[in-house]
Amino acid sequence: KEELRRYADSDGKVKLFGYEQFEYLSSITRSELFHFPFLKKAFLELERRHEKAENRRNGTTLAYIVGPPISHDAYNKMSLADWENSFKKFNEHYEPPFSSHKGGLSENANAFENEVAGRPYFFLPLIYKIMDGEEISRYYVIAGINGRLKVNEDPTEGAGFFKKIYKEHIYSSFKRQLIRMTGYLNQNDLIDQDLFDFLCDIALNDPDPAKVLNPNNQIIDSFNNNRGMAVHEIVRCFRYKRFAEKIFSTLFKVANDPMDSVRIASLIDLAVLMNVDKERTLQLFLRLINNSQNVEMYESSIRAVQYLSDYNFEALQSYFREAMKFDKLQKKVSIMLTVSWLK
């Protein structure tokens, strides 16, 4: 038996409500639910009709997977015009129906990226079209480019796409996607002066991160904020000898960053800079550590220390003394000290 009930959402639109919605609302504490008059009204009406929800658990949250707004079979049959219309419909302002298991912009963009990776030439005209227009969300532009990059057929094409959009004024999450793209370009030796300057500007001036997001794992944080991600890529540009001076000058400024996660980003792969300038790498290392009391700073520096201790063990005495204060590092540090002594 189909049991449906009408209710008005916050925009005054009439929707249908049934037992599944009642069960969902029953999982939310009343104090929170009743903050929203239209939900309170709907819930009380449903409660009178259904009396109780079998799986009711006050104070818990129901979790479910949010899928794309269009079926997978339909995606395979859509024309370029259909795709463009879906971009216009599922934009930043689209809100999925209440209690729907279908998503919106993000899920549609993910589906587009996967379809582009499977049929890169089919979608190429559409990617060029939405890239030059202003009507379509940049989420879709980046998804299209990412889909092309997954194919990895022509890295120079990826560089061309990137240069068309990287100077745009974009949201922080978009910028993160662009930084990831520079990693692909870097792997294919396609970083030029403009792109390197782009990374340096983000590393020194981007507002993200403004606060510690994961105090229990700032190493992971370093890969998930804009300044940290840019720093990771700057270090990996060590193969470009023409950027050597700016790599070091930028990272010495990063050593003053107030966020440990950003400085950690410098330390993780710092050892590669020994190929460029050993002494400046040592001085940069000491500046980054600077008697930090954060154990993750020391954890992320272990690989660099293994190489730096061969170069100048004496300069690292204070580092070893501080690192030995952390129980979880004592074994690794003791091994390094033993190896250095035997040499």
Side-chain angles (χ1 to χ4, degrees):
K1 179 182 177 181
E2 185 179 30
E3 296 181 320
L4 298 173
R5 190 86 169 181
R6 293 181 180 274
Y7 78 98
D9 67 10
S10 58
D11 295 321
K13 297 179 182 178
V14 176
K15 299 285 182 71
L16 296 176
F17 226 156
Y19 185 81
E20 182 181 355
Q21 286 84 0
F22 174 53
E23 187 179 45
Y24 176 81
L25 291 177
S26 295
S27 69
I28 305 172
T29 59
R30 292 195 179 208
S31 60
E32 294 178 351
L33 189 69
F34 288 3
H35 278 302
F36 304 93
F38 74 99
L39 288 179
K40 176 181 179 181
K41 179 182 177 182
F43 173 76
L44 293 176
E45 289 179 357
L46 287 164
E47 188 175 45
R48 283 193 293 272
R49 182 171 188 177
H50 297 291
E51 294 186 358
K52 69 176 182 177
E54 292 179 5
N55 296 322
R56 182 170 182 165
R57 296 183 181 90
N58 281 330
T60 63
T61 301
L62 293 179
Y64 53 86
I65 297 174
V66 177
I70 300 172
S71 72
H72 292 291
D73 289 340
Y75 278 129
N76 292 330
K77 300 174 183 177
M78 285 168 57
S79 67
L80 296 183
D82 293 332
W83 275 102
E84 187 173 359
N85 288 332
S86 80
F87 300 160
K88 294 175 182 177
K89 177 179 179 179
F90 304 113
N91 57 25
E92 283 91 348
H93 305 293
Y94 175 82
E95 293 185 8
F98 182 80
S99 194
S100 171
H101 289 200
K102 292 185 177 182
L105 185 153
S106 179
E107 291 75 20
N108 199 47
N110 289 337
F112 179 53
E113 180 176 326
N114 291 330
E115 290 292 327
V116 171
R119 295 179 287 165
Y121 293 105
F122 174 76
F123 287 102
L124 195 56
L126 179 58
I127 295 173
Y128 277 114
K129 182 178 181 180
I130 64 176
M131 191 180 301
D132 293 331
E134 297 181 357
E135 188 177 2
I136 303 300
S137 167
R138 304 319 268 173
Y139 270 112
Y140 291 113
V141 175
I142 291 176
I145 296 174
N146 278 334
R148 289 288 300 179
L149 295 182
K150 284 182 178 179
V151 182
N152 199 31
E153 288 183 344
D154 184 3
T156 58
E157 178 194 71
F161 283 146
F162 184 91
K163 286 202 161 189
K164 278 181 172 288
I165 63 172
Y166 83 100
K167 289 185 178 180
E168 294 182 8
H169 180 69
I170 51 178
Y171 298 120
S172 185
S173 58
F174 293 161
K175 197 174 293 183
R176 211 160 295 156
Q177 293 275 4
L178 292 177
I179 299 169
R180 289 193 180 98
M181 286 183 198
T182 64
Y184 166 83
L185 300 177
N186 198 357
Q187 290 171 11
N188 289 280
D189 298 321
L190 290 171
I191 299 292
D192 62 15
Q193 188 66 55
D194 287 341
L195 298 188
F196 185 71
D197 290 344
F198 166 76
L199 289 171
C200 291
D201 180 64
I202 293 175
L204 297 178
N205 301 312
D206 197 90
D208 180 62
K211 61 181 180 180
V212 177
L213 298 179
N214 190 349
N216 296 320
N217 199 332
Q218 294 189 59
I219 293 176
I220 293 298
D221 265 3
S222 75
F223 291 96
N224 290 287
N225 64 64
N226 290 356
R227 294 202 305 278
M229 290 175 64
V231 168
H232 279 294
E233 288 305 326
I234 289 171
V235 174
R236 292 168 187 159
C237 286
F238 74 97
R239 300 187 310 277
Y240 302 89
K241 301 301 182 185
R242 64 187 182 279
F243 298 149
E245 182 58 37
K246 191 163 186 178
I247 288 175
F248 281 105
S249 63
T250 300
L251 295 180
F252 269 100
K253 292 176 183 176
V254 168
N256 297 319
D257 194 290
M259 294 293 170
D260 283 352
S261 65
V262 179
R263 300 198 303 280
I264 284 171
S266 300
L267 287 167
I268 289 175
D269 291 317
L270 189 72
V272 299
L273 294 183
M274 296 284 285
N275 295 292
V276 183
D277 188 321
K278 293 181 174 61
E279 183 59 29
R280 293 186 77 180
T281 303
L282 172 62
Q283 296 306 317
L284 174 59
F285 175 86
L286 296 173
R287 182 78 67 85
L288 287 164
I289 290 292
N290 194 27
N291 294 323
S292 172
Q293 297 305 304
N294 184 342
V295 64
E296 290 188 83
M297 291 286 288
Y298 291 88
E299 284 183 292
S300 59
S301 69
I302 293 295
R303 182 166 174 263
V305 170
Q306 290 174 336
Y307 291 92
L308 288 167
S309 60
D310 285 341
Y311 171 66
N312 190 337
F313 179 80
E314 295 299 324
L316 298 170
Q317 296 300 301
S318 62
Y319 166 86
F320 287 122
R321 282 194 295 271
E322 292 299 318
M324 286 295 287
K325 294 178 181 178
F326 301 102
D327 292 342
K328 66 188 301 186
L329 295 179
Q330 287 175 358
K331 182 177 180 179
K332 289 182 179 179
V333 174
S334 296
I335 292 173
M336 283 193 291
L337 289 170
T338 301
V339 171
S340 297
W341 176 72
L342 290 174
K343 287 181 179 180

